Every structure is written in structure tokens, then in C-alpha cells.
Amino acid sequence: MTNPSEGTFFLNGKDFANAGNASGSLKKVLEEMGVPPPLIRRASIAAFEAEMNTIIYAVAGIMHYYVTPGTIRVVLQDMGPGIADIDLAMTEGYSTAPDYIRDMGFGSGMGLPNIKKNADSLAINSVVGEGTTLEFVINLDKTA
Amino acid sequence: MTLDEIKDILDAETLSAHCDGNTPVERAYCADLMSDVLCFSFTNSLLITHLTNAQVIRTADVANIKAIVFCQGKKPPRETVVLAEGKKIPMLVTGYSMFDSCGKLYEKGLRGKSESDT
């Protein structure tokens, strides 16, 4: 792999026309760095789920990534409604998404569980009325 | 199975300007919930869906979907086609329903999860 890399993407709430651009750009960065494809897929999926959550629920947010020879670390900070019960939000199938989000194929309550599934570690800190910070890490010494 | 074979089996139309018919597809997955595609699909697989919005392409991109079949004759809007062209994801449209599309491809040997998957 090449040298460590980091970058930031800005996310606008309800900007569905550009939803996925940040994750797609992160995927390209990881490809150019020579990260193994199975790990790129896991990182891209986790980032996309988190990006969609920000765009669906928050006014705005940022996605910051840090890639070192050992890890991919992605942090999303949003200005959103916050999550009152994180354990409940982690339950597969639990969702507060409105119908128009479901019509787009999202909001089925699989986002956070899927981030957890694809990441080696996941941390969520949230304050209701202020926003949420989500951080996940994928270890690069794994091959799948 | 190649995209050309899939096109023949589904009597499908190619929507992509740069579609290599020899592209091999290893597996298939069908869903209208992109959340499910992100959770349960396989890398280098074919996605069969009714959904035609741009999020299908973005989902396919991060999930390493090899190609997309829109069933029931549903053609994607221009923004979806443009996005797919940019990401080099071939798209086909078939008049068959999702059930019939899956059945015809399964009958000809295309599979979803294999026994070797964990």
C-alpha cells in the first residue's frame, strides 16, 4: 500500500441526488491505495450506509476518513436529531424512516446493523437535538 | 454465465453504450430494498430489481455488483443511465417479471448463495 491518506467529504441533508458520492470517492481512494477488494467492499458498504443515514436524517454532516497501513477509520459527524436509544436503533428492522425513503429502497432498519457487520469496530455517540458521531474501523490485516 | 447469455435468456434490451457481452457473472441476487442488497448480495453478482432510481447504481457500485437487470419492463430515468455509464455498470431491461426472470436464470444454471459461502 502507498502512504497514509486522509480526507473529508461534506454531506447535505436530503441531497439524494448526490447521496453516495462520498462513499464512492472513498472507494476510489482505497482502490488507488491498493487495499484488498474484500476490505474495500466492506468499507464502502459501511460508509454508504452511514452516509445515507446522514443524508436521510440530518441537516448536514461530514465524513472523514483516515487510512493507514493498519486500518481504515471513518468518522461521520452530523447535525441531526440524534438517536435517543442507540441499542434500539441497532436492532435489525427498527427504523424511523418515512415512506418516501423506503420508496428509494432504504429505511428498512438495516443500516446500523450492516455497518456493525462490515466493520471491525463501531462506536456511536449521540445527543438528542444536537447530532450523532459514528466511527467505524476496518483492520487491514484481515483478508475478508 | 455471461451478460450475452443473460440477455438472450431474458429476451432483454441493453441500456448501456459500453456493455461487454462477454462479461462473466458469478451469482445473482434480487431485491427492491437496496438495504438488503448492501447486506446480503455477493461481489461480482447480477442484481435483478424493479427499482430504477440513481440509488440503485450507487448501491451497486459500493457492493461490487457486476450488472443490473431491470425487470417488468421498467426503464431507468436518464440520470440513472448517466450514472451507470460513469461507473461502467452494464444495465439490461427485460419484460419478464422478477419471479420469471429469476426462474429463467436459475433454470439455466445461475445461482445465488453457493454451498461454499459461509
Side-chain angles (χ1 to χ4, degrees), chain B residues 84-108:
Chain B
E85 291 287 347
K87 294 186 179 296
K88 296 183 171 53
I89 299 174
M91 299 178 297
L92 304 173
V93 60
T94 176
Y96 289 117
S97 69
M98 184 183 277
F99 179 85
D100 285 338
S101 299
C102 295
K104 286 175 179 296
L105 293 172
Y106 191 94
E107 184 182 33
K108 296 292 184 182

Side-chain angles (χ1 to χ4, degrees), chain A residues 29-76:
Chain A
V29 168
L30 298 175
E31 287 171 345
E32 286 167 4
M33 293 181 76
V35 173
L39 297 175
I40 293 176
R41 187 174 194 263
R42 284 174 50 198
S44 301
I45 287 175
F48 186 51
E49 294 277 22
E51 181 182 359
M52 287 303 296
N53 278 348
T54 299
I55 287 168
I56 290 169
Y57 294 108
V59 176
I62 60 167
M63 177 193 292
H64 198 91
Y65 68 87
Y66 312 77
V67 187
T68 66
T71 60
I72 302 167
R73 186 158 67 93
V74 180
V75 181
L76 285 101

Side-chain angles (χ1 to χ4, degrees), chain A residues 16-21 23-24 27 37 41 44-45 48-49 52 103-108 110 114 117, chain B residues 32-43 51 53 55 58-65 79 87:
Chain A
F16 296 105
N18 291 303
N21 277 356
S23 312
K27 183 185 180 191
R41 187 174 194 263
S44 301
I45 287 175
F48 186 51
E49 294 277 22
M52 287 303 296
D103 289 344
M104 283 192 283
F106 292 93
S108 65
M110 297 300 287
N114 202 23
K117 173 184 158 189
Chain B
D32 288 339
L33 269 177
M34 295 302 104
S35 301
D36 281 352
V37 176
L38 292 167
C39 275
F40 306 119
S41 68
F42 322 100
T43 196
L51 214 59
N53 65 38
Q55 295 312 322
R58 298 188 193 280
T59 301
D61 180 38
V62 299
N64 286 351
I65 296 293
E79 62 169 349
K87 294 186 179 296

Side-chain angles (χ1 to χ4, degrees), chain B residues 55-91:
Chain B
Q55 295 312 322
V56 175
I57 307 303
R58 298 188 193 280
T59 301
D61 180 38
V62 299
N64 286 351
I65 296 293
K66 201 81 167 187
I68 300 168
V69 169
F70 298 108
C71 52
Q72 208 76 66
K74 293 180 185 293
K75 289 191 176 180
R78 178 172 162 71
E79 62 169 349
T80 301
V81 175
V82 169
L83 190 60
E85 291 287 347
K87 294 186 179 296
K88 296 183 171 53
I89 299 174
M91 299 178 297

Side-chain angles (χ1 to χ4, degrees), chain A residues 80-91:
Chain A
I83 303 170
D85 187 334
I86 293 174
D87 288 339
L88 183 60
M90 290 299 300
T91 307

